[in-house]
Amino acid sequence: MDSQKIRNFCIIAHIDHGKSTLADRILEKTETVAQRDMEQQIIDNMDLERERGITIKARAVRLNYRAQDGELYTFNLIDTPGHVDFNYEVSRSLAACEGAILVVDASQGIEAQTLANTYLAIEHDLEVVPVVNKIDLPSADPERVCEEVENVIGIPALDAPRISAKMGTNIEQVLEKIVTDMPAPQGDPDAPLQALIFDSYYDPYKGVIIYVRVKDGSVKVGDTIHLMATGSEFVVTETGYMSPSNLINTGTLTAGEVGYIAASIKSIGDTQVGDTVTLADRPCEEPLPGYRKVNPMVFSGIYPADGAKYGDLRDALEKLQLNDAALTFEPETSIALGFGFRCGFLGLLHMEIIQERLEREYNLDLITTAPSVIYKVTLTDGTVQYIDNPTNYPDPSVLASAEEPMVKADILVPSEFVGNIMDLCQDRRGTFKDMQYLDDTRVTLKYELPLNEIVYDFFDALKSRTRGYASFDYELLGYAPSKLVKLDILLNGDIVDALSFIVHADKAYSRARKIAEKLKDNIPRQLFEVPIQAAVGGKIIARETVKAMRKDVLAKCYGGDITRKKKLLEKQKEGKKRMRQLGTVEVPQEAFMSVLKLDE
Amino acid sequence: MTGLYFHIPFCAKKCPYCDFFSVSYHKETVSQYVGAIIRNLSAYAPEEMVDTIYFGGGTPSLLSAAQIGEILNACAKYAHLSDSPEITLEFNPTGERTQYLHDLRTAGINRLSIGTQSFSDAQLSLLGRTHRAADGIRTVMTAKEQGFDNLSCDLMLACPHQSEAVLAETLDILGKLPITHVSAYLLQVEEGTPLSGSSELLSHLPDDDTSVDRYLQTVRTLAEFGFQQYEVSSFAKAGFESRHNTKYWTCEPYLGIGAGAHSCYGGTRFQAKRDIAAFCTAPIQPTELIDPSPCGTEERLMLALRMKRGVPVDALTLQAQKKLPLLEKGGYLRAENGCVSLTPEGFAVSNAVIAALLG
């Protein structure tokens, strides 16, 4: 294949600016997919992705396009995850491309992820082709948005295609731009193989399928490949490209191409995104730059609501992990919740997605504990520990110092809400760093915030204080010393381990009060009064009481109809299964969940 | 011993809180309906001795004394009646009905359950009842005069605007009437009833704590008048516990005849379809099976725990027995002489207590 006729590109956009719809139209216009076969938004092929309008895992697809110059071009469209949690995966997808289409909503303009993704693309030396989408909306103002792109991002945009992906308007202009503005891949087909892994997934029949961009050299069926970071070796059983509906085994891939390799790989842990593939008998000298091991940043205990489903939960996590090397889990036991797993996630969205997939795809009813970050503590004897579970937080008497992870947050917000957001960031112990006007009405705020303050409900709080208009992105900065305490919750005098969490000392009182109130509202009255207490180091700092229930009776039984009583008894038994019995106290699942959303 | 229950699903006016099955009174239909009851009696022809008969509704007192008489004659013909059966009729206390009461007594009815509900006119009109306090009192007195020695009054608790004083007045009147039994129900807002749609009334319903205060006030006051509580909602002078209703709690058989009537009979629980036309025309009432093998251990315990006499401790699982001391300490039950029985406070939360013991 003539590499001059190849264009490898991705589409970057803020959520809801129309990335997936544009991908659909490109697929349509290149006649890769017959109209009738097309499911809306074919690239996002997980239900959840489609529902949330976001892409969780990268996908790639090969398309053919006859350009106005009469030549037939091969397009490799690489879809990138659209969320900050998957920043590393985004960066690896970008590294597989020469160009990026930047989609900007014609009425909303630039948002936080527009900026973050564009800067990431520019960092990777991609040719960025701006496109203004949704010109069919009455509120569209493409000229203003083009100017904004030029002024804020600093790339030429005055001749950017004005399109409506939804209506299919001016899609050809985008395709031509890909041909004319984006460079063809470079690379030496005769050099030793050097290919970048930008995605992988587990196929039950073929083993792990890795998606690669070949930079140099070539690979064919029968070759023994060497994965440089993990050091493992496999014999290629299949290689080729991805059509929108299936894998096309062509037997070989060469420099400039994007495609897949199957090599009977059993574990996805062997195929880390960012790793370099080379040949065992003729290795390249150096791996491609930018590889790093992905580490979870947010941890949470996940327990089955029904203890008997522990095995099912383990199976489900194992299955999810087949396709998600970033998900970690290990067994954990809670006095309150029984047997479950401590799970590690890249970030909040990742956590929510995993929880939702467990519930939806595996039909599990879950109780999750408050998300925790990893705290770095130094004990009085000098040993350093990393704590991802509040239960394991050391006793204050042996604690010399504590540090917590910090993030750099970029928040884009209409100027009228700046005050609200500054209050919020202040309240979340943020340090103001910078503020810039993007234009007359929009402001970007830069804050340093403790990660622990944004893992709970920061995004919800941000949205509710800006009528949904704020957008937000963050990256990890490192650890900073902090005054942390462990807050324990006691029900009927007993500590409920699953409700313990780490909090900054200054916020312990207000957090304790809120949690006690939430629990009071969510623990139903029962036969005995339930005292709820919050304590730091044995000292009670908040208290509420759930009064004993007094009325719970079905009096009527006219004409010997006992069916309602029996039904009620069955319902109560069923209800009990969803309750956790802590001593004499019955705690519903909702009570555990309610403390996760404290922002009202 | 078996009980017979006749469901008379006709009402002159539907009460706004009631969700039981009933339709408007229609003379022709009622007469067909009575014929169908008799036809069913002949069809079932219960072999076991019948010691209680109960006319429930609906409003059974809409039937003429002659119709009641026909049904009772059919009972005597198709069933084996015991020597002194308890024969109850639910009676709606409207109007002057001396003759009717006389005729009922003559027909064989020996116990009336009178739907007095309250002796406060304000309360009665709030509840949408067509009778007044005086009607209730007069009905009781007249029934007594006509030879009814076993009279029960219904009492509705936890009604809108029912203060402690308002209830005290009603209880005081109950205490002075020549009655033997009281059924006291906590008003329950049932979905789909007019009451459930009246935000004005709903806003004046007492909260749970106040409702239970009224309930306990009732238990206390009735005891002072000599009515001992023997079940969650039932109070009687010594020896006047409802023999028929007791069958429900003790898993004794009863045959229900009439559209919507429930039965625990012949080894199953079933319900006649709520279809008056079908009941009137079918050779035998069409029914739906509710439980093919009723009266299992759990069901027996669930029902028996609603009675004051309770259950033997060793009838409970060991796990349940372990919970007894705490529940006893909470004042919800008493465990003595090898028996577990709920206290009035326990009855007020009996759903939870029973679930705790059976769960």
Side-chain angles (χ1 to χ4, degrees), chain B residues 3-4 50-55 72 82-89 108-112 150 181 230 239-247:
Chain B
L4 281 179
V50 169
D51 67 338
T52 66
I53 299 174
Y54 197 103
F55 291 86
L72 289 178
S82 70
D83 285 347
S84 52
E86 175 194 274
I87 306 177
T88 309
L89 181 122
I109 302 290
N110 56 27
R111 183 174 182 272
L112 292 179
N150 194 354
H181 189 279
Y230 67 96
F240 287 96
E241 294 81 6
S242 162
R243 278 154 57 192
H244 183 83
N245 287 345
T246 300
K247 291 185 194 295

Side-chain angles (χ1 to χ4, degrees), chain A residues 93-108:
Chain A
S93 294
L94 296 182
C97 303
E98 278 77 37
I101 300 174
L102 168 65
V103 183
V104 187
D105 184 305
S107 53
Q108 310 236 313

Side-chain angles (χ1 to χ4, degrees), chain A residues 132-171:
Chain A
V132 179
N133 188 24
K134 304 196 189 180
I135 57 163
D136 55 307
L137 293 184
S139 57
D141 187 355
E143 304 316 312
R144 177 184 65 81
V145 169
C146 284
E147 257 174 59
E148 194 175 83
V149 170
E150 291 219 338
N151 294 340
V152 176
I153 304 178
I155 55 174
L158 294 181
D159 67 337
R162 276 79 161 153
I163 68 163
S164 163
K166 195 171 122 203
M167 318 295 287
T169 316
N170 296 338
I171 305 302

Side-chain angles (χ1 to χ4, degrees), chain A residues 73-132:
Chain A
Y73 286 84
T74 296
F75 284 0
N76 288 305
L77 167 55
I78 295 169
D79 200 26
T80 59
H83 192 275
V84 54
D85 285 359
F86 304 96
N87 227 11
Y88 173 70
E89 294 188 347
V90 176
S91 85
R92 294 307 84 204
S93 294
L94 296 182
C97 303
E98 278 77 37
I101 300 174
L102 168 65
V103 183
V104 187
D105 184 305
S107 53
Q108 310 236 313
I110 291 173
E111 295 285 355
Q113 284 159 27
T114 319
L115 281 179
N117 287 327
T118 308
Y119 291 143
L120 210 53
I122 291 171
E123 246 174 66
H124 285 84
D125 287 329
L126 301 196
E127 183 65 35
V128 177
V129 173
V131 165
V132 179

